[in-house]
Amino acid sequence: MKLREYEYIQTIAYERNITRASERLFISQPALSRFLKNIENDLGTLLFERIGKKMILTPAGKIYVERAREIIDIDTQMRNMIKDMDRRNDVLSICYPLIRSLFLAKCVLPVFQEEYRNVPITISISSQRMIQEALQSGKSQLAFGIVTPEYEKIFGYEEITQEEMVVVVPNGHSLLEKAETCDDCNYPFIDARFLREEYFALPSAMLYSGQFAEHYFAEHNIIPNVAIKLNFTEPLYQHVVEGNCIAILPSIPLQSIELENRLKYLSLRDRNHAHTIALLHNKNHTLNPTEDSLLDIIRKAYC
């Protein structure tokens, strides 16, 4: 009701004539006159001086019209922002490293798209270290990856699971016999001394997995035998399957990458060294219902 009141008074002020204002507003002239009289009675002051057929704003009327224009502008901005938010909610934008693409493509996105058929998804494949740029630039609203100490400071996130870096070996590899069951490990534990003579497939040191491997080797005084070095981590699983080498990689659920019968994981450390996998977002971003559903689907896929 108030917005209509402001618009009516603004129209009278613009037309400076009650008849022309009523025609513009598609209401009768007597009805608009009564409306104006009621407003002035309510305020206890005149908004217009009647000079012949002209309606001239009084000082109070000028203040009223000026503030009414601001209120209408604020209302318009608010409605546009809400419409924009609704449009953004209709598009899901997410970035993640290539190594996680098969997991999402096989176990997450088909389930999500079955439930949200009309929600388009914008996907950006980005290295773990480039997630920050994708989120801060607005290219993606969400990112799926590791919560590094730096990301923990600058982003909000919704935890999915605790994931560890593991030694990935082909099924039947000799290291499986040397590994020991450990209560503090998710997988059989392999001591670093057994890795010294092995040949490794290593990702670039520009990638999180490569940095982790370098740190682990330095920590245990290992000079690794490098059979293969790649700029991407995702193909390394396949190289291990072929028996060419072993690798240190994230413990992504093997069933999600269709290799549960061909690869095995060995723990390097206890559970306290696991890192958090999460859905990351900017701190001022609140997950909408669609994004909440995606989070729930990813969590279930990791079980």
Side-chain angles (χ1 to χ4, degrees):
M1 181 66 181
K2 279 288 185 181
L3 283 177
R4 187 178 70 169
E5 171 186 315
Y6 299 147
E7 290 169 355
Y8 282 10
I9 300 301
Q10 277 197 316
T11 302
I12 297 172
Y14 177 80
E15 293 292 344
R16 303 209 300 178
N17 181 280
I18 197 78
T19 301
R20 287 199 300 271
S22 65
E23 291 172 352
R24 183 166 179 165
L25 293 169
F26 299 102
I27 61 175
S28 69
Q29 184 269 328
L32 184 58
S33 294
R34 287 195 300 272
F35 187 89
L36 174 59
K37 184 177 181 180
N38 289 337
I39 296 298
E40 290 178 326
N41 288 340
D42 183 56
L43 293 172
T45 188
L46 293 177
L47 298 179
F48 294 91
E49 290 183 20
R50 284 71 169 175
I51 303 176
K53 293 184 178 180
K54 287 186 177 181
M55 306 288 289
I56 308 298
L57 284 169
T58 64
K62 290 179 180 178
I63 293 173
Y64 186 99
V65 168
E66 182 180 339
R67 294 293 179 262
R69 186 177 297 114
E70 293 175 359
I71 293 170
I72 292 171
D73 287 345
I74 290 172
D75 179 76
T76 301
Q77 291 172 17
M78 177 194 69
R79 292 177 184 277
N80 289 337
M81 288 173 68
I82 291 173
K83 288 179 181 178
D84 287 343
M85 182 182 295
D86 287 341
R87 284 193 288 269
R88 287 197 298 272
N89 289 348
D90 288 338
V91 178
L92 183 70
S93 61
I94 183 170
C95 68
Y96 47 80
L98 179 62
I99 196 171
R100 303 190 183 278
S101 59
L102 185 56
F103 167 75
L104 285 160
K106 182 176 182 290
C107 300
V108 175
L109 296 182
V111 179
F112 176 84
Q113 290 173 316
E114 181 68 25
E115 185 174 351
Y116 294 93
R117 292 184 180 276
N118 297 322
V119 176
I121 303 173
T122 301
I123 294 173
S124 299
I125 303 299
S126 174
S127 66
Q128 174 69 33
R129 68 186 182 89
M130 295 299 289
I131 283 176
Q132 179 175 347
E133 179 182 332
L135 291 179
Q136 292 182 329
S137 68
K139 184 178 181 181
S140 296
Q141 288 287 343
L142 304 173
F144 173 48
I146 297 169
V147 182
T148 65
E150 180 183 7
Y151 289 176
E152 190 169 16
K153 294 176 184 176
I154 61 178
F155 293 127
Y157 63 90
E158 314 303 322
E159 182 172 340
I160 293 167
T161 190
Q162 292 292 305
E163 182 185 81
E164 62 180 295
M165 299 296 290
V166 293
V167 176
V168 185
V169 300
N171 200 359
H173 194 279
S174 60
L175 284 177
L176 295 172
E177 297 178 359
K178 299 172 183 177
E180 299 177 354
T181 301
C182 177
D183 291 340
D184 291 332
C185 297
N186 290 317
Y187 307 98
F189 172 76
I190 187 69
D191 192 281
R193 70 180 186 274
F194 295 122
L195 303 179
R196 296 183 186 279
E197 303 303 321
E198 298 294 332
Y199 281 82
F200 283 87
L202 292 180
S204 164
M206 297 293 290
L207 304 177
Y208 181 87
S209 297
Q211 293 169 8
F212 179 92
E214 280 196 352
H215 179 77
Y216 179 83
F217 292 141
E219 183 181 24
H220 293 88
N221 297 312
I222 296 174
I223 300 176
N225 299 310
V226 181
I228 299 168
K229 195 158 189 175
L230 293 175
N231 290 328
F232 303 101
T233 46
E234 194 270 341
L236 296 182
Y237 290 96
Q238 195 60 44
H239 282 288
V240 176
V241 166
E242 298 303 325
N244 301 325
C245 46
I246 64 175
I248 296 178
L249 294 169
S251 55
I252 295 171
L254 285 170
Q255 69 273 16
S256 73
I257 51 178
E258 302 175 340
L259 293 173
E260 63 265 42
N261 296 321
R262 305 184 68 184
L263 294 179
K264 295 294 182 183
Y265 287 159
L266 298 175
S267 289
L268 292 165
R269 295 170 170 167
D270 61 35
R271 291 191 183 94
N272 292 330
H273 288 86
H275 49 247
T276 299
I277 296 295
L279 209 57
L280 297 106
H281 50 78
N282 286 310
K283 284 188 178 292
N284 60 353
H285 180 77
T286 301
L287 296 190
N288 60 48
T290 303
E291 293 167 339
D292 267 327
S293 293
L294 176 68
L295 174 63
D296 185 56
I297 292 168
I298 296 175
R299 283 174 173 161
K300 288 177 180 177
Y302 251 96
C303 293

